[in-house]
Amino acid sequence: MLMSYEESLKILHSHIKTYEKVEKIALTECLGRILATDIKADKNQPEFLTSAMDGYAIKFEDQEKPLKILGITPAGKMPEFKVLNGTCVKTFTGSLMSEGSDTLVPVENIRIENNMLYIEKKVPKNFAVREIGENYKKDEILLKKGTKLNYSEVALLAELGFFHISVFIKPIIGILSSGSEIKDLGEALENPAQIRSSNHIAIANLAKKLNCDTRVFPLLKDDEKATFSTLKSALQSCDILVTTGGVSMGDFDFLKKAIQEYELIINKADIKPGRHIKIAKANEKFIIALPGFPYSAMVMFNLYAREILNAWLLQPKDYICKAFLQGNYKKKTPYLEFIACNVEFKNGRILANLEGKKEGSSAIINNLNNKAALMIAPKECEILENGSLVDIVFMP
Amino acid sequence: MLMSYEESLKILHSHIKTYEKVEKIALTECLGRILATDIKADKNQPEFLTSAMDGYAIKFEDQEKPLKILGITPAGKMPEFKVLNGTCVKTFTGSLMSEGSDTLVPVENIRIENNMLYIEKKVPKNFAVREIGENYKKDEILLKKGTKLNYSEVALLAELGFFHISVFIKPIIGILSSGSEIKDLGEALENPAQIRSSNHIAIANLAKKLNCDTRVFPLLKDDEKATFSTLKSALQSCDILVTTGGVSMGDFDFLKKAIQEYELIINKADIKPGRHIKIAKANEKFIIALPGFPYSAMVMFNLYAREILNAWLLQPKDYICKAFLQGNYKKKTPYLEFIACNVEFKNGRILANLEGKKEGSSAIINNLNNKAALMIAPKECEILENGSLVDIVFMP
């Protein structure tokens, strides 16, 4: 009996150790990288009362009377004047409020006569004054270890004065595509039985989107000896070695044999596509033997390699959610099926449909285009009905 | 009266010309780039009948009798044998089917005695045979100009034999942050009235996510003459010059003046944040003067610069959808408001809530973290009610 998907994940997780590889990189290079430490505020922000508009810093109770203008506080300069009753200081967006002031009257609300300020439209107390610590307070943890650095997180690091940032080193994914029928980019096909390899470049790009570096190894021909030795040497240059092809029932499926030299932890699972999946361990490293069909290979990479990467890089499994199925889906196999679907957001609902998806095809382009996800059809069910809630997995 | 948001977009679009800048780049470098031509299939895929499993190529009507095994067709080799009645050829996943055969019997279904094949479990006609053109047909347009190249599109290009790909040259976004109170990365603050610039790095990263190159110009102090000359020189090195700060009501808001040297096409709009927005044209180029507050600057960049970039790079405006609001939202201003919100996918529904969002704050980190979007509160409404459908804009 084949192992269930849930069981295979459980076994996989029992073998994943904490990933401790950390490097420092420049703030200007860290978009999309994963933070490897918590980040704390070293002071309140703002540190002092700050003006949120262009106007005049006053005492709130002074709005009825003309006020003497003591001078100005340009942004970036320390205030020179103290606001006492009957006085005010011209203050700009981002400038500190003068000592003694508590309220800012915007320029739109005033008129000036003989260097005296007349307030024509009153404002509430503390108007347009940004409080101390309004954005964040001293010692507050602002970013947690494992945070993916998007533009706003990077902006915060800049504001805090960080320049050299601790991030996780990108795990290295090695990619070894096998099959005597496949030719590499730029190689001529010798006969119509040959095809151009796309798996290696697809997986490399998928891995890049998951915060990995990649090593694309030379294509592997169906040769038993070469398969054993290449697997061994390729493994030295990566953290996870992904192979494609060579794992089903054919006479030339040497990868299936070669991977058994290592600690085989998963050997087939009752899922479609990709039930021939094999995963082995070699010390801290993993070898994942994927099927040769591009669509199946991508799906399996997403289900297994992504699982390891998420655990290593502390990423949430937030790419699975529920969607309303449009149309019926009749299951084709007794396995847990992952079916390419389109996802649409409509009137506040997440909809999944199978339009244009080719069943059992090796084509990944119709199945896994920009808007695609995988719909999960559970083992025990026979039909997924129109309008029912189904689980979907977003691809990277 | 301020211009409406819709009107401002209409004016902006009337000034956007087609973007014709195309370059060729290596397939291995084109993840995330935008295709600048249509891509057609040069032949059927598969070109010939192909086996989808490991097994034996037979004539369908021959399943009842023992079959003579003529030999094998390894993947990547042209079939050497012709299948006549009473014969079969061992055939592997990805191998071409032998002439005369129409059905593949998988290895799981057979037994062999004295080099004769006995089929123990029959299969339907054409079983496990991939039809000619199953994936795509000759001359089919497979990818359209304007397609964003994700891993599966890149894989398809590899399979088609493309290596040097026509993509749109990344538009260059110049970023000029102004304000005497801001200090650059790595510079010491001289007093507590100064802050570190984060706008320039945030916008640079936002622009990178939108398929742009960036030029981050030296910070601009509040100096009238320098502002005029810097604007002019910076414009030479980019397609869209984005400035931050210097556009509100202050005495030192020189950008507001300097931009008037160009063809001002948008001068304020009735939106919050960012109603001081100014957009000018200089030949084919644009200058977008954003507010100085980081949160406001990001929102405005997303609303206006992204609009130009989408038009140039033929990207759909698919980042706006409806969500169910959790909790009530009372509008603060008479303007069209863009309010930072969190988005959650739950039970097939898209939910928006305002938890942890700081109103009117300059902080972008709470407001625009990884899961954030902008909720749109229309001008005419006063309250958005719990459970109602609202428009949301996803940030890049």
Side-chain angles (χ1 to χ4, degrees), chain B residues 178-342:
Chain B
S178 77
S180 290
E181 76 278 26
I182 57 174
K183 287 282 180 176
D184 204 354
L185 295 178
E187 283 181 358
L189 303 186
E190 290 151 15
N191 66 52
Q194 297 185 332
I195 55 169
R196 290 196 191 82
S197 179
S198 59
N199 270 332
H200 59 340
I201 186 154
I203 292 173
N205 282 320
L206 201 45
K208 278 178 197 163
K209 292 193 87 173
L210 295 172
N211 245 298
C212 296
D213 271 335
T214 57
R215 300 286 175 272
V216 176
F217 298 110
L219 296 178
L220 184 61
K221 297 291 166 200
D222 294 332
D223 174 294
E224 187 159 358
K225 211 173 144 195
T227 301
F228 276 73
S229 64
T230 305
L231 203 61
K232 198 173 166 187
S233 66
L235 197 55
Q236 290 173 12
S237 307
C238 55
D239 298 304
I240 301 175
L241 178 60
V242 175
T243 66
T244 68
V247 285
S248 52
M249 308 287 282
D251 298 2
F252 304 103
D253 287 340
F254 301 121
L255 271 166
K256 193 167 66 169
K257 288 188 201 167
I259 199 173
Q260 299 193 11
E261 298 274 295
Y262 304 87
E263 184 193 348
L264 199 62
I265 58 171
I266 295 171
N267 189 4
K268 299 189 182 182
D270 64 354
I271 54 182
K272 179 184 158 54
R275 69 179 195 280
H276 292 296
I277 181 85
K278 291 188 183 357
I279 301 182
K281 273 206 72 177
N283 300 315
E284 307 276 287
K285 299 181 176 195
F286 290 90
I287 306 172
I288 306 182
L290 301 176
F293 275 139
Y295 169 67
S296 311
M298 295 308 111
V299 171
M300 287 295 97
F301 185 90
N302 196 55
L303 296 184
Y304 289 102
R306 192 175 193 180
E307 199 75 24
I308 301 171
L309 293 169
N310 280 339
W312 278 353
L313 302 175
L314 309 179
Q315 295 306 289
K317 207 168 167 174
D318 58 2
Y319 46 90
I320 299 182
C321 73
K322 300 263 184 207
F324 292 97
L325 177 61
Q326 307 293 287
N328 292 311
Y329 175 74
K330 207 170 163 302
K331 275 189 69 191
K332 305 288 178 301
T333 71
Y335 308 118
L336 177 73
E337 294 182 11
F338 294 88
I339 306 115
C341 65
N342 307 298

Side-chain angles (χ1 to χ4, degrees), chain A residues 330-366:
Chain A
K330 208 170 161 304
K331 274 189 70 192
K332 304 289 177 301
T333 72
Y335 307 118
L336 177 74
E337 294 182 11
F338 293 89
I339 308 114
C341 66
N342 307 298
V343 178
E344 201 187 350
F345 294 165
K346 201 166 178 181
N347 283 328
R349 287 186 163 75
I350 305 166
L351 307 181
N353 71 67
L354 305 177
E355 279 161 35
K357 299 304 175 196
K358 300 187 178 180
E359 286 170 16
S361 163
S362 73
I364 72 167
I365 186 63
N366 290 296

Side-chain angles (χ1 to χ4, degrees), chain A residues 48 54 76 90 130 135 148 151-152 191-192 209 248-251 348-350 358 361-362 368 370 395, chain B residues 48 54 76 90 130 135 148 150-152 191-192 248-251 348-350 358 361-362 368 370 395:
Chain A
F48 298 94
D54 296 315
K90 190 165 190 186
R130 297 178 53 222
N135 284 351
K148 192 166 182 178
Y151 61 92
S152 65
N191 66 51
K209 292 192 85 172
S248 51
M249 307 288 282
D251 298 0
R349 287 186 163 75
I350 305 166
K358 300 187 178 180
S361 163
S362 73
L368 297 177
N370 275 322
M395 294 290 286
Chain B
F48 298 95
D54 297 315
K90 190 166 189 187
R130 297 179 52 221
N135 284 352
K148 191 167 182 178
N150 201 346
Y151 61 92
S152 65
N191 66 52
S248 52
M249 308 287 282
D251 298 2
R349 288 186 166 75
I350 306 165
K358 299 188 178 180
S361 163
S362 72
L368 298 177
N370 276 321
M395 294 290 286

Side-chain angles (χ1 to χ4, degrees), chain A residues 92-159:
Chain A
F92 301 94
T93 310
S95 292
L96 298 192
M97 296 289 287
S98 292
E99 199 187 324
S101 70
D102 56 20
T103 301
L104 191 103
V105 187
V107 285
E108 293 91 333
N109 293 20
I110 60 100
R111 71 185 155 82
I112 292 172
E113 274 178 36
N114 303 324
N115 201 32
M116 293 295 281
L117 181 84
Y118 294 82
I119 297 172
E120 299 196 315
K121 195 178 161 202
K122 291 204 279 182
V123 294
K125 191 164 184 175
N126 302 324
F127 187 78
V129 176
R130 297 178 53 222
E131 273 174 56
I132 292 169
E134 180 196 83
N135 284 351
Y136 44 79
K137 308 220 173 345
K138 187 173 188 304
D139 293 331
E140 198 177 322
I141 291 181
L142 300 176
L143 298 174
K144 288 222 168 89
K145 180 175 172 175
T147 300
K148 192 166 182 178
L149 299 172
N150 201 346
Y151 61 92
S152 65
E153 287 80 9
V154 177
L156 177 68
L157 290 170
E159 182 177 289

